[in-house]
Amino acid sequence: MNQMLKPVPAPDADSRPFWDGCRDHKLMVQRCTECETFRFPPHRFCPHCRSEQREWVEASGKGEVFSWIVVVHPVPREVYAGDVPYVVSLINLDEGVRIVSNIIDCDPHAVEAGMRVEVAFQPARDDIVLPVFRPAKG
């Protein structure tokens, strides 16, 4: 295991409910309370109806791979050298929003468009848990 400290996201007021949910192993997304459109990342205004009314709801955690890359040359090299190869992907959640994440528990070269995935959670630090995705069961 690499002993260098890896960079992690810094929760702010807008994203705090997302990161609190991840810590509790729940994938949280915003939903407009006026038109019920899901949105991620969080926004002050609904992109559909422009309402400022919103709530955080637990997503199913299921989706499919939209796009991905297999990282084979880590940058910065000294921090991620022990992790390559790894997959950075754009996941279409069943709720209709996209999230960038890693795909785990899968040969990086076996990832394909439309592959069904489900969320899992990996501790990154004592105070940050990251959502990652693995191939869906069944």
Side-chain angles (χ1 to χ4, degrees):
M1 178 90 174
N2 196 326
Q3 297 302 316
M4 293 191 74
L5 189 60
K6 293 181 181 177
V8 295
D12 60 19
D14 292 329
S15 67
R16 175 70 54 198
F18 174 78
W19 294 111
D20 288 349
C22 288
R23 187 191 61 237
D24 296 335
H25 291 203
K26 296 177 181 178
L27 186 62
M28 305 299 288
V29 295
Q30 267 189 355
R31 180 172 61 191
C32 175
T33 57
E34 294 291 320
C35 70
E36 299 188 0
T37 298
F38 290 97
R39 59 187 187 243
F40 188 87
H43 301 268
R44 182 174 174 198
F45 295 98
C46 175
H48 182 71
C49 74
R50 304 301 291 164
S51 171
E52 290 187 52
Q53 303 305 309
R54 60 198 178 274
E55 64 184 346
W56 284 89
V57 297
E58 185 176 0
S60 67
K62 297 180 186 303
E64 63 181 39
V65 174
F66 176 75
S67 181
W68 73 100
I69 61 167
V70 178
V71 177
V72 294
H73 299 288
V75 177
R77 187 175 313 265
E78 61 276 359
V79 175
Y80 293 100
D83 297 335
V84 294
Y86 61 92
V87 178
V88 178
S89 61
L90 189 55
I91 305 294
N92 284 338
L93 294 179
D94 289 350
E95 288 76 15
V97 296
R98 289 185 178 154
I99 185 171
V100 176
S101 187
N102 294 104
I103 297 180
I104 63 167
D105 298 342
C106 178
D107 177 343
H109 302 288
V111 175
E112 57 188 35
M115 183 172 94
R116 295 291 298 167
V117 291
E118 61 190 14
V119 73
F121 296 92
Q122 284 186 339
R125 251 185 8 206
D126 289 342
D127 59 336
I128 297 289
V129 175
L130 300 174
V132 295
F133 287 80
R134 62 172 48 122
K137 298 174 186 168

